[in-house]
Amino acid sequence: MKHVQKVRGIWVVRVTVPEELRDIIGVRELVERGLPNDTRQRERLAVGIINGFYARIEEAQEQLATRGDAPAPHLSSLAKAHYQSKLSVDSQKRSAMPTPDVIAAEEQRIYERIDKGEISISNGFAPMINAMTDLELMRGARDHDARLRKRRLDALRSGLVARDTKLVESDLRRLTSAQKLLGGPGSTQWIDLGLALMRAEIEALERTIERDAGDYGGQPQDPLLTEPEVEPTQSVGYQGRAVSGMTLSGALQAFHKERTAGGSTLAAKTMEEHKNAVRMFNEFMRTDVPVRKISKKDVIDYKNALLNTPNRYTMRFPGLTLPQAIKANAKLGKPHATLAPKTINMKWLSHLSSILQWASNNGHLEVNPAQGIRVDTGSKVHREPSYLPFTRDERNLIFGHEMFSDPSTYGTNQWALLVMLYTGVRNSSEMARMPLTNIYEEQGIPVFFLADASKNQRSKRLVPIHDDLISIGLMDYVHRLREKNETYLFPEWARRTDKVNDWFNNTFLVGIGIKTKQKVFYSFRHTLATELARAGVPRELSKMISGHAPQEVASVYIHASPVQLMAEGLNKVRFDLPILAFFRDNQIMRRS
């Protein structure tokens, strides 16, 4: 693979910086060391690293082309910008670190390769050692990064005492060139700026160590970073403004701390979306933004950028920030589809507004600049519904497929579709990670307990298991999983929560000829809601089943009525699927 080579036993990515850009970037070569030995992992990581390097070079080219004769910024402003830049890099590195789920999936993949014989001692110890070494590197990535930062911090402190600026030389060269500052290596200006950058980086590293302990609210103490801001014409940072005060990342940390205080809970999925919303906005602003510096125009510009942002840009353009991904997508002959307005409104703008509203309520800025900013999607009265239920003929086509002919052979895909149809849960996150311990009888009625449903408190609910699922053999399937000591109802789906959705939308529905933008995996939820109404189930009872109304779960343990009423209402729905006829015929044949 181009730019990837092995140097003294270590895999390295190297990209040479064009000569005319070296004074801006500050180095002759962009290098990332320590890639894993596993070819598949190494190449996947290298793609993102190389993309990031080339995006950095492209930005330097644009900077070279647009250099002006602006006055040199104040030393304090440069230090503040450097401080924020280092914290922004830290935030991006943390978001790229392997999560426990990713590590668990990699461990499972290694064991599957061992089971298949792809990794075997008969082929020598090297493949086994390499695979396990890469896994251990993933497990220790955060600790390793923390140790490197501590060593860097110690070295900077020693260098500061000795007035030795070589540790920040690349940043010095970049700034002196980009800002057209006077004075070369060894000059008073050079040393003064170098010492200022070192003081800023020391403060930034101290914040990252606080982050390791879960504290994102720390503020700099160095007078260089706390002195009053310079005039706007001299300031630096996004759109020429100086930077200080609680950052957006700091506001998020404090917001989450408050929302989870005293045993309160905030769904893990929602918290992750909040983090992504902050990361995306900071990428757009090119720094971890102080909340009081965010203007309404910034948010409007961000909204317009989101309209041009390719869907799943971190996967399609690994290693690129949001602005870089927009540029890269525009250069494609056939650009990827961009984010849907509904997604922009309900996720990225909504989450950003929630965090900024907390910051406003707590005195970190005057007003919420994101309040009311949304993509105009027109009147709901005149809009077509986003998703439609499956018709009777479409249900017969889906569940009349040969893969449903023998219930005794059903696996993840078959049971997943049936469970989604008969429960009407919102999405894969509500069912993919369903623990077997959350399937039990409540007052004699088999139920799913959706304890991990993420939208709101009402979503955490009991859903009775439909009689049809029991007739087809769902509880036998559950029993077999328990005998195998499995943890989840759908072990494969739990490891990758979009696995069944992707297969159903992009393979199965396409194969049977009914895939449209309005007929997708989510249509199962609309299908059950429609059939509950047709069966005459009261609206409030239907809303309790779907999670649109509270079930008053505490009363379930005192009075039988809520769970019994839901079961009675749910069992009024009769889909009359072809598989039920197959099942009844087989039962009759067995009895005869």
Side-chain angles (χ1 to χ4, degrees), residues 270 273-274 277 346-356:
T270 302
E273 287 182 354
H274 285 168
M346 295 184 67
K347 284 190 177 182
W348 311 130
L349 291 178
S350 176
H351 292 327
L352 179 64
S353 182
S354 296
I355 298 161
L356 291 174

Side-chain angles (χ1 to χ4, degrees), residues 208-225:
T208 70
I209 292 171
E210 291 166 2
R211 289 178 174 185
D212 293 340
D215 180 6
Y216 277 68
Q219 297 296 318
Q221 302 300 315
D222 192 311
L224 189 65
L225 302 174

Side-chain angles (χ1 to χ4, degrees), residues 72-82 172 175 181 188-197 199-200 224-225 227 230 234-236:
H74 192 274
L75 197 63
S76 172
S77 296
L78 287 171
K80 290 173 182 177
H82 191 64
L172 272 168
L175 279 173
L181 302 176
T188 301
Q189 296 94 329
W190 176 277
I191 294 173
D192 286 346
L193 177 56
L195 295 176
L197 297 183
R199 288 165 62 183
L224 189 65
L225 302 174
E227 69 179 52
V230 296
Q234 294 178 299
S235 61
V236 294

Side-chain angles (χ1 to χ4, degrees), residues 140-160:
R142 292 182 186 274
D143 289 339
H144 178 66
D145 181 63
R147 287 193 296 271
L148 289 178
R149 284 183 282 110
K150 182 63 169 62
R151 289 176 61 184
R152 173 78 175 177
L153 178 58
D154 291 341
L156 282 167
R157 284 172 173 160
S158 297
L160 186 62

Side-chain angles (χ1 to χ4, degrees), residues 303 306-307 338-349 374-377:
K303 176 194 72 172
L306 289 175
L307 289 169
T338 53
L339 293 172
K342 182 178 178 181
T343 301
I344 294 173
N345 286 342
M346 295 184 67
K347 284 190 177 182
W348 311 130
L349 291 178
R374 295 289 184 270
V375 177
D376 187 352
T377 55

Side-chain angles (χ1 to χ4, degrees), residues 418-570:
L418 285 165
V419 168
M420 294 299 290
L421 176 67
Y422 281 98
T423 60
V425 298
R426 283 187 176 84
N427 52 44
S428 60
S429 66
E430 287 195 15
M431 190 55 68
R433 294 183 177 276
M434 168 63 64
L436 292 174
T437 54
N438 284 12
I439 302 172
Y440 54 86
E441 286 193 1
E442 183 60 55
Q443 299 177 7
I445 297 171
V447 296
F448 295 113
F449 177 36
L450 298 174
D452 297 324
S454 60
K455 186 171 183 182
N456 49 48
Q457 192 60 37
R458 296 191 301 272
S459 300
K460 303 178 190 301
R461 64 195 187 280
L462 296 174
V463 178
I465 298 177
H466 197 285
D467 288 345
D468 285 353
L469 291 177
I470 296 172
S471 297
I472 297 169
L474 176 64
M475 303 314 291
D476 294 333
Y477 171 71
V478 170
H479 179 70
R480 289 195 298 272
L481 290 173
R482 285 174 173 157
E483 286 186 330
K484 294 178 182 178
N485 294 319
E486 293 285 0
T487 302
Y488 296 105
L489 177 63
F490 300 111
E492 297 174 27
W493 201 7
R495 286 193 291 269
R496 195 193 120 193
T497 55
D498 59 350
K499 179 181 177 67
V500 175
N501 319 38
D502 284 352
W503 162 78
F504 182 72
N505 290 334
N506 301 325
T507 302
F508 186 81
L509 285 182
V510 173
I512 61 176
I514 61 174
K515 171 66 186 296
T516 68
K517 288 184 178 180
Q518 295 175 319
K519 296 292 178 76
V520 294
F521 194 70
Y522 195 81
S523 295
F524 284 124
R525 179 168 171 81
H526 293 273
T527 303
L528 180 64
T530 300
E531 293 305 316
L532 284 168
R534 286 179 177 170
V537 177
R539 181 175 178 79
E540 285 305 311
L541 194 57
S542 176
K543 290 168 69 175
M544 287 170 62
I545 294 170
S546 65
H548 282 139
Q551 295 179 355
E552 298 176 349
V553 176
S555 69
V556 174
Y557 297 92
I558 302 172
H559 306 291
S561 56
V563 71
Q564 289 182 343
L565 285 173
M566 285 191 293
E568 291 171 5
L570 186 60

